[in-house]
Amino acid sequence: MVAEAETAGAKVLQRKIIHVDMDAFFASVEQRDDPSLRGKPVAVGGSRERGVVATASYEARAFGVRSAMPSITAKRLCPNLIFVKPRFDVYREASRQIREIFADYTAIIEPPSLDEAYLDVTENLKGMPYASGIASEIRRRIFEATGLTASAGVSYNKFLAKMASDINKPNGMFVITPEMGPTFVEKLPVAKFHGIGPKTAERMHGFGILTGLDLRAQSLEFLRENFGKVGTYYYGICRGVDEREVNPNRIRKSVGVENTFSYDLTTREEMERELAPIIEEVWDHCERLGERGKTATLKVKFDTFRQVTRSKSTTGTIESKDALKQTVASLLDGLLPLENGVRLLGVTVSGFKTGDEPQMSFDL
Ligand code: TTP
Ligand code: MG
């Protein structure tokens, strides 16, 4: 678009977008506050049999420990792994501090989670000419204020800024200029694209689409037909194009996860078993966002394709995973006995304390 406008002789403002992302966020906070953990492999999360790793220190990552990995697997990979319980209040406070720093540079800040944010600094409050200069200054100030390191990506759109922030992680930054953008995505495996999850990547592999260049060979029609609305986004990003604005009002109002089953569930036990990982995922997501909701919703689709939803609100907010489990269990009670087999189950938490803005779409 920019190139077109330039050929037409018009002067178009190239956007300057920064994506800032804290390094091993929860684990770094724990290492900061407990010097005995520094330089050691640390996992934040549950050490119990059914626990999962929320995040791991870079020392633990050297052993292959990763986010969302079952704690037992992590311990097997790294026998000296130290498990630490998460302290969300402390993470929220660090998050508040970094957002305060961002606000000195621009009002156009979109934080998709506690530890990251997109900033549009095209016209920044300090009149600084280079986005890379702003990113360096922000990273330095974050370290001074919190004792934590952050990485940054600088580019002309959100997708590339996000991809760039990973390149020199931890404690680094990278700039993708407009000249570099299209080439940068060519060689990139589709599984690495932000917004292409593992399931979508697998489907793309099935079509023989392995890299950005392969993706670019597909028509917009093909992508929309096979991937729906998000196909348009794919069509753009494989060309280094992403027109999404940094949206400071984009406050997520709910977190929902659902699963369709390859067989019909008929008993309460089966439903509870299938709901457990769904609840885990919903709760994990709430924690990463630093949000607590007041309403839980259970969605059930029957083999007849009839769908019902049941919601329950608490007076305060749902404060623990167990509380969420209990609420969902009581919603399930209300649907029993089952008249038909169940094809799909979904759980949503909504009514976040901060969520007073209109509902926005899921983050890509
Ligand atoms: P990330 O930014 O994805 O990870 P990170 O900051 O730990 O590490 P990196 O240096 O690669 O950026 O997520 C931020 C925090 O969100 C992370 O510290 C813990 C939490 N989180 C989870 O609880 N579960 C997850 O599956 C992931 C990916 C993150
Ligand atoms: Mg991070």
Side-chain angles (χ1 to χ4, degrees):
M1 261 201 58
V2 170
E4 271 171 28
E6 275 169 359
T7 13
K11 203 165 159 52
V12 168
L13 199 57
Q14 184 80 60
R15 288 190 298 161
K16 297 175 188 174
I17 313 289
I18 301 176
H19 179 255
V20 180
D21 190 298
M22 303 297 288
D23 302 320
F25 185 47
F26 295 0
S28 303
V29 171
E30 298 308 328
Q31 288 180 319
R32 175 194 68 182
D33 294 349
D34 179 353
S36 77
L37 298 175
R38 293 183 197 159
K40 304 240 174 82
V42 173
V44 178
S47 60
R48 284 164 302 125
E49 215 175 297
R50 302 205 41 191
V52 292
V53 173
T55 196
S57 68
Y58 275 78
E59 293 85 354
R61 292 184 196 192
F63 290 85
V65 178
R66 297 283 179 270
S67 287
M69 182 179 270
S71 301
I72 357 176
T73 314
K75 190 82 186 168
R76 188 161 42 73
L77 288 171
C78 178
N80 294 328
L81 189 61
I82 307 167
F83 283 94
V84 181
K85 282 220 178 72
R87 296 179 302 150
F88 292 101
D89 289 344
V90 186
Y91 311 147
R92 270 191 282 270
E93 172 56 19
S95 184
R96 196 196 54 73
Q97 285 177 294
I98 64 171
R99 288 177 192 179
E100 216 170 82
I101 294 169
F102 301 151
D104 281 346
Y105 299 85
T106 177
I108 313 173
I109 305 166
E110 178 184 330
S113 73
L114 284 182
D115 96 315
E116 64 176 318
Y118 294 97
L119 282 63
D120 186 327
V121 295
T122 315
E123 294 187 46
N124 61 85
L125 299 171
K126 299 216 170 193
M128 289 169 74
Y130 298 110
S132 55
I134 299 177
S136 303
E137 194 173 297
I138 286 177
R139 291 178 51 240
R140 182 176 49 75
R141 287 185 57 194
I142 287 179
F143 187 72
E144 284 165 6
T146 66
L148 302 167
T149 62
S151 296
V154 178
S155 197
Y156 55 95
N157 63 43
K158 285 168 76 174
F159 169 73
L160 289 171
K162 168 87 181 178
M163 299 303 298
S165 70
D166 255 346
I167 292 178
N168 283 326
K169 215 172 217 314
N171 200 15
M173 60 180 267
F174 191 76
V175 181
I176 299 179
T177 63
E179 292 70 36
M180 290 156 70
T183 335
F184 172 82
V185 287
E186 276 177 13
K187 286 162 271 164
L188 206 66
V190 288
K192 291 245 163 82
F193 276 61
H194 179 60
I196 300 185
K199 280 186 192 152
T200 307
E202 218 167 279
R203 285 192 55 220
M204 287 187 177
H205 292 167
F207 291 122
I209 305 169
L210 301 177
T211 65
L213 203 56
D214 296 337
L215 195 55
R216 205 183 288 169
Q218 313 305 317
S219 69
L220 178 60
E221 272 167 356
F222 171 87
L223 294 174
R224 291 201 55 121
E225 213 166 274
N226 287 285
F227 302 101
K229 256 206 288 191
V230 75
T232 312
Y233 171 74
Y234 298 156
Y235 186 83
I237 57 175
C238 62
R239 293 169 168 75
V241 173
D242 174 11
E243 307 271 354
R244 290 175 304 155
E245 303 276 325
V246 175
N247 185 351
N249 295 323
R250 183 161 161 198
I251 295 173
R252 184 196 291 268
K253 279 189 75 186
S254 68
V255 166
V257 173
E258 57 182 48
N259 201 0
T260 306
F261 308 105
S262 47
Y263 67 105
D264 288 345
L265 313 180
T266 52
T267 64
R268 183 190 176 108
E269 287 67 38
E270 280 175 331
M271 291 175 74
E272 277 184 341
R273 195 184 61 227
E274 298 293 357
L275 278 168
I278 294 176
I279 292 170
E280 287 287 333
E281 206 176 316
V282 169
W283 189 253
D284 181 66
H285 218 108
C286 289
E287 295 205 314
R288 280 157 65 182
L289 293 168
E291 293 286 7
R292 292 284 179 273
K294 99 194 247 33
T295 307
T297 302
L298 173 67
K299 172 170 154 186
V300 177
K301 206 185 260 179
F302 295 100
D303 53 4
T304 55
F305 289 98
R306 191 172 77 91
Q307 179 181 304
V308 293
T309 57
R310 292 284 180 275
S311 296
K312 192 169 174 174
S313 295
T314 48
T315 35
T317 49
I318 304 167
E319 282 298 325
S320 68
K321 189 162 61 186
D322 275 339
L324 177 60
K325 266 186 203 155
Q326 277 170 24
T327 312
V328 172
S330 73
L331 290 169
L332 187 56
D333 279 337
L335 291 173
L336 298 174
L338 290 174
E339 285 162 31
N340 298 99
V342 169
R343 294 308 316 261
L344 173 150
L345 287 172
V347 172
T348 300
V349 170
S350 58
F352 292 145
K353 273 183 273 191
T354 49
D356 45 12
E357 294 288 328
Q359 172 77 60
M360 301 295 167
S361 63
F362 188 78
D363 183 39
L364 284 164

